Amino acid sequence: MSSPYPPMPYSGQQGAPHLDPGVAGLDAPRAPQRRRLFGRGLAEGEPTPSAADVAAWTGLLGAPVPSPRRIGVVALKGGVGKTTLAVLLASTIARSRPDPVLLFDTDTTFGSLALRTGVPLQASVHELAAAGDPGRFEVLAGALARSPDGAWVLPSGRDPEQSAALTEERYVQAMNAVHRHFAVMVTDCGAGLATPLMRRVVSGCHSLVLATSPGVDGVLAAHNVLRWLRASGFAALADRSVVAVTNVPARGAAVDLVEARNRFAGLAGDFLTVPSDAHLATGSQLRLEALDAGTRAAAVRLAASALGAALATR
């Protein structure tokens, strides 16, 4: 049986690309600046984007991917919608592409990924790390669950103990098993960045989404992440990062989000907001069609910005 997807191009380098420091811009020239999306988001008081805007962003999601791309979703603390953003990203991208998209969980706290995607927990990072690359996509697909929106899901563990046991070594082994089979990978990272596991995950990402809350502490946390990236040798990755403020009320946000966008303009690749949404607030399985129109538009814009940033590097 042949794979339903075309084979992913591969550069021929030894080892998986996530082991190459050049991926994160550590030893490569800065990539050309991509078209910015500043000023077109959904901050308080701004209108919902037009159908033409959403159509243009959706078109960007179908852009050719010359080699596998990895988007990391990070946060300095829990409870800011990190996993929700990861599921939104993977689901939105998967709906817009014919090639496979993977939602890879590296959170060691056994979070809500299975609940949010609505899939049973099948093989985890640990099983795939032990099994290695099966060589054919259809064999790998048989070990993974797939969400209704088309994203394949790889959990950090099938129970809290397995998730807590995820290490840098296990992550690398699992990445070696899956990376070449998926055009786009969205990684739901654990809270924080300074552990060896999270440094390894970040070093292999082509772009990042920084999830944060619409308050002073949330904006400051995102600013600290960007400072940490630049101080830790990931300046090029900071340039390809998207600050995503989640659960933004229609009125009465704790901070001036237009001013916040202006302050982040020189620090991150993009800044956008995701509005409060009754469906997201339930904490149950996320269904794109159940979202308000403004939230769906924000998800498409977020996906287009994050994938566009990932494609702006080699």
Side-chain angles (χ1 to χ4, degrees), residues 155-262:
S156 60
R158 288 179 284 102
D159 54 49
E161 185 176 3
Q162 261 201 343
S163 290
L166 180 58
T167 63
E168 179 186 5
E169 180 182 10
R170 276 299 196 195
Y171 165 76
V172 170
Q173 291 169 341
M175 278 292 297
N176 282 334
V178 303
H179 82 273
R180 70 184 183 93
H181 296 285
F182 295 91
V184 181
M185 181 184 302
V186 176
T187 302
D188 181 14
C189 304
L193 289 171
T195 67
L197 170 60
M198 284 302 103
R199 286 186 66 96
R200 174 65 74 181
V201 173
V202 167
S203 73
C205 289
H206 297 89
S207 66
L208 290 179
V209 172
L210 312 182
T212 190
S213 57
V216 174
D217 59 339
V219 172
L220 179 60
H223 190 273
N224 287 338
V225 170
L226 292 165
R227 289 181 56 191
W228 181 89
L229 288 170
R230 296 184 183 280
S232 302
F234 299 115
L237 188 56
D239 290 338
R240 300 193 301 272
S241 294
V242 180
V243 177
V245 185
T246 63
N247 197 31
V248 175
R251 293 289 185 272
V255 297
D256 184 336
L257 293 171
V258 174
E259 175 62 23
R261 175 186 289 114
N262 293 335

Side-chain angles (χ1 to χ4, degrees), residues 69-89:
R69 300 289 145 154
R70 289 164 303 284
I71 302 168
V73 183
V74 302
L76 279 187
K77 61 179 183 177
V80 297
K82 172 181 62 66
T83 295
T84 297
L85 282 187
V87 176
L88 272 177
L89 266 174

Side-chain angles (χ1 to χ4, degrees), residues 36 38 259-271:
R36 303 290 187 177
F38 282 109
E259 175 62 23
R261 175 186 289 114
N262 293 335
R263 288 182 177 275
F264 277 103
L267 300 175
D270 202 359
F271 178 99

Side-chain angles (χ1 to χ4, degrees), residues 40-65:
R40 301 182 66 193
L42 299 170
E44 181 178 351
E46 292 183 324
T48 299
S50 67
D53 286 331
V54 177
W57 299 332
T58 302
L60 293 174
L61 296 179
V65 175

Side-chain angles (χ1 to χ4, degrees), residues 122-132 143 154-158 162 170 174 177:
Q122 295 181 210
S124 73
V125 168
H126 296 272
E127 283 79 38
L128 289 187
L154 178 59
S156 60
R158 288 179 284 102
Q162 261 201 343
R170 276 299 196 195

